[in-house]
Structures are given as structure tokens and as C-alpha cells.
């Protein structure tokens, strides 16, 4: 791998290029924090996709795209005198040292769970202990990811099941409450109870160390693959999917599982 000097040289090269682009490129000169925001989110999802595909070449490429956005924001911050890349890195380094007292101090943390708990405790101290435990969960997170983060944050404050198996009683309870509302067809309450059910299932995933976002995406991909096979087979057999019976579709669907 590359030496520290090579890494410094390439990072400096990137900063110089970014400075040139802001001064000379018509598109880059027009960008603002607001205009880049959605593009940054898109780049983050592209990185996540590459990670899910276990494509290291693409991961490297997408990391570069995301790094470009970081130095882009820092360059714009320097133009207004609010901050620059040095401030960004300095604050990050200071935070990392402070939140890793088991490395840079005398705190004992011999497992990942203890490190995570120390991290959350120190975050609260930084906030003066006045902010809610859940204050660090970004409101704009997708609902599924947000639910997982909310539950994880609550756990760090001691709000959790004594025995993880207890969560299934909660799941069953929420299913029953949803079925009760379905029986009377109260749409608003049905939606509320469905949300409670999803929240409890996400909680179960957390307790069993399963990332619900990854699990759902895995099922999405599996469904797409099987549905594409179903479509291709119906075309090959001269059939029309819209005119097929459920039994006919099920027969081909079972073939997809074998495939």
C-alpha cells in the first residue's frame, strides 16, 4: 500500500484541483451547499450499493466521489471564512481522540459493545447532559434506518428488553392490534398499528444483530430476480402474465426458487 507521504501528496493534489475547479469551472462555481446536498445523498447510496455488491473496485470509486463532496463543502466554507478542510479534520481528530479514551486515555474497554457505550456516554457529556438521548438521530433519515437508530440509542440509555426473546411477545401483540383495526377498517388506526408492527420487527432484528435495511434489500433483490425469471418464462411459453391464474404463476415461481 501507499506510504504516508504519498497519501499526503495525493490529498494535497485533490485540494489544489478542487480550488482550481471552483475558480475556473462554470458548473463548479455555481454550486452551493443546498445544490450539492441531494447529490451527496445520491453518492452515499451509490457507495452503499457498491458495498452491498461486495465490489471493491466500485467501493474505491464511490469513496472518491464522496471524498470530492467533502472537500467541495470545505472549499466553499473557506470562501466565506466559516471553515476550511483543516478545521474539518482538526475537529474530527479531536473528537476521535476524546471518544476513544481506551486508546488515548486510561479507560478500560475490551470489547466493541463497551466501546460503543463509552462513545454514547461521551456524546451526552459533550452536550452538557441536557439534550435527549435521541437528539443525535437525524430527522431526515429514511424511516427504516431511523427506527433502527432510535432503538439503538434508547438501548444505550438502558431502555431495552431484559431477555431478547421477549420481543416476540411484543411482535405478536402488535399483530393482534393491527388485525383488530383491520376488522373495523379504520384506515388511520390501521396505519398507526402497522407502523407499530414494523417498529417491533425492526427492534427484533436489532436484538438478533441483524441490520434490517440490509435484510430488506436482500429480499428486494431476491424478489426482483425471481420476478424477472417469472416474466421471462411466461414470455418464452407464449403466455400473458396478466391473464395467468395465480396457480400458474405459483408453479413458475417455485421454479425460480430452484434456479
Amino acid at each position: 500500500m501507499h506510504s504516508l507521504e504519498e497519501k499526503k501528496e495525493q490529498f494535497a493534489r485533490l485540494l489544489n484541483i478542487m480550488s482550481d475547479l471552483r475558480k475556473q469551472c462554470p458548473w463548479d462555481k455555481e454550486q452551493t451547499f443546498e445544490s450539492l446536498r441531494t447529490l451527496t445523498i445520491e453518492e452515499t447510496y451509490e457507495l452503499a450499493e457498491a458495498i452491498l455488491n461486495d465490489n471493491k473496485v466500485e467501493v474505491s470509486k464511490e469513496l472518491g466521489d464522496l471524498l470530492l463532496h467533502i472537500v467541495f463543502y470545505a472549499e466553499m466554507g473557506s470562501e466565506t471564512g466559516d471553515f476550511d478542510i483543516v478545521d474539518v479534520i482538526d475537529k474530527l481528530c479531536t473528537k476521535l481522540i476524546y471518544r476513544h479514551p481506551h486508546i488515548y486515555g486510561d479507560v478500560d474497554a475490551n470489547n466493541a459493545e463497551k466501546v460503543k457505550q463509552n462513545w454514547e456516554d461521551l456524546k451526552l457529556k459533550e452536550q452538557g447532559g441536557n439534550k435527549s438521548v435521541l437528539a443525535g438521530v437525524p430527522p431526515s433519515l429514511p424511516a427504516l434506518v431511523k427506527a433502527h437508530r432510535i432503538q439503538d440509542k434508547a438501548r444505550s440509555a438502558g431502555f431495552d428488553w431484559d431477555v431478547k426473546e421477549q420481543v416476540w411477545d411484543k411482535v405478536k401483540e402488535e399483530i393482534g392490534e393491527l388485525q383488530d383495526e383491520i376488522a373495523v377498517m379504520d384506515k388511520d388506526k390501521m396505519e398507526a398499528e402497522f407502523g407499530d408492527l414494523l417498529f417491533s420487527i425492526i427492534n427484533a432484528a436489532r436484538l438478533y444483530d441483524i441490520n434490517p435495511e440490509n435484510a430488506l434489500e436482500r429480499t428486494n433483490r431476491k424478489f426482483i430476480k425471481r420476478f424477472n425469471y417469472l416474466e421471462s418464462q411466461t414470455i418464452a411459453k407464449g403466455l400473458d402474465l396478466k391473464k395467468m391464474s395465480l396457480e400458474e404463476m405459483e408453479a413458475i415461481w417455485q421454479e425460480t426458487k430452484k434456479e
Side-chain angles (χ1 to χ4, degrees):
M1 298 304 289
H2 297 97
S3 67
L4 181 58
E5 285 305 313
E6 288 175 311
K7 294 173 183 177
K8 290 179 179 179
E9 181 181 327
Q10 287 301 315
F11 192 63
R13 181 186 175 203
L14 173 60
L15 295 178
N16 288 331
I17 291 173
M18 187 69 254
S19 179
D20 290 341
L21 294 179
R22 279 293 283 180
K23 293 173 183 175
Q24 302 175 38
C25 175
W27 185 88
D28 288 280
K29 286 194 291 186
E30 289 182 356
Q31 300 316 302
T32 65
F33 282 89
E34 291 74 20
S35 68
L36 278 183
R37 177 181 172 276
T38 54
L39 296 176
T40 305
I41 293 171
E42 182 180 323
E43 294 296 352
T44 304
Y45 276 109
E46 289 179 1
L47 171 60
E49 177 74 9
I51 292 172
L52 283 174
N53 290 335
D54 194 25
N55 188 331
K56 297 301 191 299
V57 173
E58 281 299 305
V59 168
S60 176
K61 172 181 172 295
E62 297 302 340
L63 281 171
D65 291 344
L66 198 54
L67 179 58
L68 168 62
H69 280 240
I70 292 170
V71 298
F72 208 144
Y73 289 118
E75 182 67 22
M76 289 189 291
S78 70
E79 292 167 3
T80 58
D82 293 313
F83 64 88
D84 64 11
I85 194 65
V86 173
D87 298 309
V88 172
I89 295 174
D90 180 60
K91 287 177 181 177
L92 173 60
C93 290
T94 300
K95 179 171 69 175
L96 289 174
I97 291 171
Y98 176 72
R99 293 190 187 172
H100 288 80
H102 54 290
I103 303 296
Y104 301 102
D106 55 5
V107 172
D108 180 37
N110 54 11
N111 59 66
E113 186 59 33
K114 181 62 176 174
V115 170
K116 191 174 180 181
Q117 185 61 55
N118 285 343
W119 181 281
E120 295 297 338
D121 291 344
L122 289 168
K123 280 182 70 173
L124 283 178
K125 286 183 180 179
E126 289 172 19
Q127 299 163 354
N130 297 321
K131 288 192 177 181
S132 165
V133 171
L134 303 181
V137 180
S140 59
L141 279 178
L144 191 151
V145 178
K146 187 192 294 187
H148 190 251
R149 290 293 292 136
I150 287 171
Q151 293 165 1
D152 199 42
K153 290 279 189 180
R155 177 206 57 79
S156 70
F159 187 81
D160 207 356
W161 300 102
D162 293 326
V163 180
K164 64 183 179 182
E165 287 78 12
Q166 293 173 322
V167 74
W168 298 115
D169 290 331
K170 185 62 176 175
V171 171
K172 292 173 185 176
E173 176 188 323
E174 297 297 352
I175 291 174
E177 292 179 0
L178 173 59
Q179 289 174 326
D180 289 342
E181 297 304 336
I182 290 174
V184 296
M185 291 304 291
D186 186 319
K187 197 66 177 290
D188 183 64
K189 290 182 179 179
M190 284 165 57
E191 182 180 277
E193 293 300 339
F194 200 86
D196 290 348
L197 174 58
L198 289 175
F199 195 84
S200 66
I201 291 174
I202 292 168
N203 205 12
R206 176 188 62 81
L207 288 164
Y208 285 87
D209 199 25
I210 296 170
N211 185 300
E213 174 72 18
N214 293 346
L216 183 57
E217 179 58 19
R218 185 173 180 175
T219 295
N220 287 341
R221 293 179 178 217
K222 180 170 62 178
F223 184 89
I224 291 170
K225 182 178 180 181
R226 290 179 178 176
F227 194 83
N228 286 343
Y229 180 87
L230 173 63
E231 285 184 314
S232 66
Q233 289 302 303
T234 56
I235 293 172
K237 295 176 181 180
L239 300 172
D240 185 341
L241 193 60
K242 294 180 180 178
K243 296 179 181 179
M244 291 172 62
S245 68
L246 186 59
E247 290 74 18
E248 290 173 316
M249 286 190 282
E250 178 64 21
I252 300 176
W253 189 263
Q254 290 303 319
E255 291 178 18
T256 70
K257 292 184 177 180
K258 296 177 184 177
E259 290 294 321

